[in-house]
Each structure stands twice: as structure tokens, then as C-alpha cells.
Amino acid sequence: MGLAKTEKFTDQQNEIARFAKVFGHPARVSILQHLFKIDACVCGDLVDEIGLAQPTVSQHLKELKQLGLIKGNVEGTKVCYCIHKENWVAMKKVLIAFLDQDLPINPDCC
Amino acid sequence: MGLAKTEKFTDQQNEIARFAKVFGHPARVSILQHLFKIDACVCGDLVDEIGLAQPTVSQHLKELKQLGLIKGNVEGTKVCYCIHKENWVAMKKVLIAFLDQDLPINPDCC
DNA sequence: AATATTAATCGTAATATTGCGATGAATAAA
DNA sequence: TTTATTCATCGCAATATTACGATTAATATT
């Protein structure tokens, strides 16, 4: 199968999973951290930073772009990437709401 | 390949990815939300709640247990699950630190 | 125009994930 | 002791993901 039965879950649950999934690979975590560190557009040097082959990095960038977490603009022969701020804030809200649920006050039960 | 090259990334990046990955499937999100909602041990009725076959739910529970996010105790013919609070808090700290990075003040560059 | 540079896309191989039926182990109930 | 219940594990099929070499498209440089 290998296919998540999304129709069995709520839109909210599927959205949380979709966002979380993109962070489920260290290369994408690394790309995002680099974009945050640079605090601006990164043009071209991403492949050297990440340490994977160019097609592989390109593929991870595509996934990040598809989810709307980064923007990419062609700049001559280079492409410049940066965090999509509005979408990042929206995603953050969704995931933190899930992570930050109140923990039971009850003592441990099991 | 299908194999993440973890050795190319920092321990922190791999840890973030490992945690995020487990939330990358709506069934696991659903299981965790249910455990939070019940606010206690859930004994037995998880399969009905989630809507997937029993072996499938069992497998998702196993992954959550392996990452330490839930505890499971045998209670007769039933097994009782609940959130592992300390580990949840620790995981939350790691993921929120990643999500909550400061956004550039700069106007959009691309 | 010819060449170089950059990054997307295609194709493919290797591995991982998801889902479930069948089975098994363990306890409870009769 | 027999039967029922519950859940873990095994084994398999279907699909997804990861990685990269080869190629392509686009612009820059000479």
C-alpha cells in the first residue's frame, strides 16, 4: 500500500501531518536553518552547504516550495531562495497548537 | 536509495527530523490527539477510534513508543496507553525551538 | 556564435512506509 | 479445560521516498 488513508482523518490532522512530514528529513531541516541563518535570499550556494548532489537538493527545494514554506526567484543563471514568512507563521501556528496541548495533571497512569 | 544520509547532517538536524517524521502521518496525529483528549490511559478502544485495521494501529503505536512519546502497559487482555509526559515536553522543546526561529526583519527579497 | 554556468527535470535503483490478513501469545471467562 | 478476547508480530503487496547520473533549458561570458 504505502498510501496514507487521508480520508479517514480530519482536515486538521492531515494538515498537521503534511507540514510535519516536510520536516521529517534532515536535508530539508538543514536547508531551512540555512535560510534562517542567512536571513536573506540565498542564491546558488545551497548545494555546497547541504552536501548532497544537486538534483537531490533541487528535489528537496521543490517539496519545500510546494508546501509554500520557501520562495524561489530566478536571477540570471542562479535561483534565489528565501523563507516565505507569512506561510511560515501560519504553519508554525498549526504545528505549535498541536505540540503545545495541555498535559494531563493526573499522575502517571501506566 | 530511499535512505536518508544522516551522517551528512548534525545530530540536532537528525533529531528534529526524527521527531517530525513521526507526526508525518495523520493516524499517529490522531492517536496522540485522542490520548491528550482522554487525559488518561486509553485501554483498548483505540482501534475503533482511529478507523484503521488493528495491525496497522499496532504498528503506529509501536513507532510512537519507540520514539518514547507514549507509554504502554499490559492490563489483563488489554493494553493501556498514555502520553509520556517528560519525553513529550523534551520533544516539544526541540521542535518549537526549530519552528520558532526569528523571522528576518528585512523586506522580502524574492 | 561558441562555451560555460546554473539549476530543473527525467529516469532509474535502492530502500522505506503503509496497510492488512493470518497467525500467535497471553490472559479472561465459561 | 475449552473458548473468547485482545493485541503483537509476521509476511506480503502496493506505493512513496531518497539519491543521483544524464540531460535539458536558460542565461552569462567570451
Side-chain angles (χ1 to χ4, degrees), chain B residues 19 22-23 32 63-71 82-85 87-88 91:
Chain B
F19 281 136
V22 90
F23 301 129
L32 290 165
E63 288 176 61
L64 288 168
K65 216 193 304 187
Q66 272 174 346
L67 250 186
L69 295 180
I70 64 174
K71 299 183 199 179
C82 63
I83 302 286
H84 191 309
K85 298 170 201 176
N87 291 355
W88 184 270
M91 171 281 295

Side-chain angles (χ1 to χ4, degrees), chain A residues 34-93:
Chain A
H34 187 67
L35 291 180
F36 270 111
K37 198 178 70 185
I38 294 300
D39 197 7
C41 270
V42 167
C43 302
D45 56 343
L46 261 177
V47 171
D48 299 331
E49 283 291 332
I50 304 307
L52 296 176
Q54 180 267 321
T56 309
V57 174
S58 189
Q59 195 175 312
H60 286 305
L61 286 168
K62 189 180 169 191
E63 286 176 61
L64 288 168
K65 215 192 307 188
Q66 271 173 347
L67 249 187
L69 296 181
I70 63 174
K71 300 184 196 177
N73 260 28
V74 177
E75 200 103 350
T77 56
K78 304 204 166 193
V79 179
C80 296
Y81 288 104
C82 63
I83 302 287
H84 191 309
K85 299 171 202 178
E86 299 78 17
N87 291 356
W88 184 270
V89 170
M91 172 281 296
K92 204 167 81 172
K93 202 174 271 180

Side-chain angles (χ1 to χ4, degrees), chain A residues 82-109:
Chain A
C82 63
I83 302 287
H84 191 309
K85 299 171 202 178
E86 299 78 17
N87 291 356
W88 184 270
V89 170
M91 172 281 296
K92 204 167 81 172
K93 202 174 271 180
V94 171
L95 280 193
I96 288 185
F98 170 69
L99 294 173
D100 216 15
Q101 295 177 73
D102 279 338
L103 289 166
I105 315 283
N106 317 353
D108 273 357
C109 23

